[in-house]
Amino acid sequence: MMLTLKVLNKNKEVLSTEKGKNIVLNYNKDYQHGDYIRVESSMDKFIAVKFDKTLAESIIFIPGKSFEFAIPSERVRLGCYGEEAFS
């Protein structure tokens, strides 16, 4: 199984990408409003993900071979995730 991990902006432009079986993507820029993470798989699959160093690992199902996670706004991050999340 091959995975692709991408950070995209609201215009669907790819800001960063990595491919492989076990992926680590270090995105070292500030997220902007509308940025999101897309996980693509070569097959429908359950996978373990950790979208930020401050979050716990989660098991997700990728139906239709892709899954998107919207980067929370600053207001949501501070209210739900904590100061260091997605920074």
Side-chain angles (χ1 to χ4, degrees):
M1 173 186 63
M2 182 64 67
L3 294 172
T4 303
L5 184 63
K6 298 177 182 178
V7 177
L8 298 103
N9 65 18
K10 64 183 176 186
N11 299 320
K12 301 182 181 181
E13 298 168 325
V14 177
L15 305 174
S16 188
T17 188
E18 287 290 333
K19 292 182 181 186
K21 291 185 179 185
N22 294 306
I23 303 170
V24 175
L25 176 66
N26 292 311
Y27 186 69
N28 296 317
K29 297 179 182 172
D30 291 335
Y31 289 111
Q32 303 300 313
H33 177 73
D35 288 352
Y36 61 100
I37 298 169
R38 171 183 250 162
V39 181
E40 298 171 349
S41 174
S42 58
M43 62 180 68
D44 291 351
K45 188 80 173 167
F46 283 97
I47 64 168
V49 297
K50 187 171 181 178
F51 289 125
D52 186 79
K53 64 184 175 190
T54 65
L55 302 179
E57 184 176 275
S58 299
I59 304 296
I60 63 169
F61 180 66
I62 303 178
K65 303 181 183 172
S66 70
F67 174 86
E68 293 181 356
F69 177 83
I71 303 299
S73 67
E74 183 177 352
R75 180 176 163 217
V76 171
R77 285 195 307 262
L78 293 176
C80 299
Y81 291 97
E83 242 179 86
E84 296 296 316
F86 303 101
S87 59

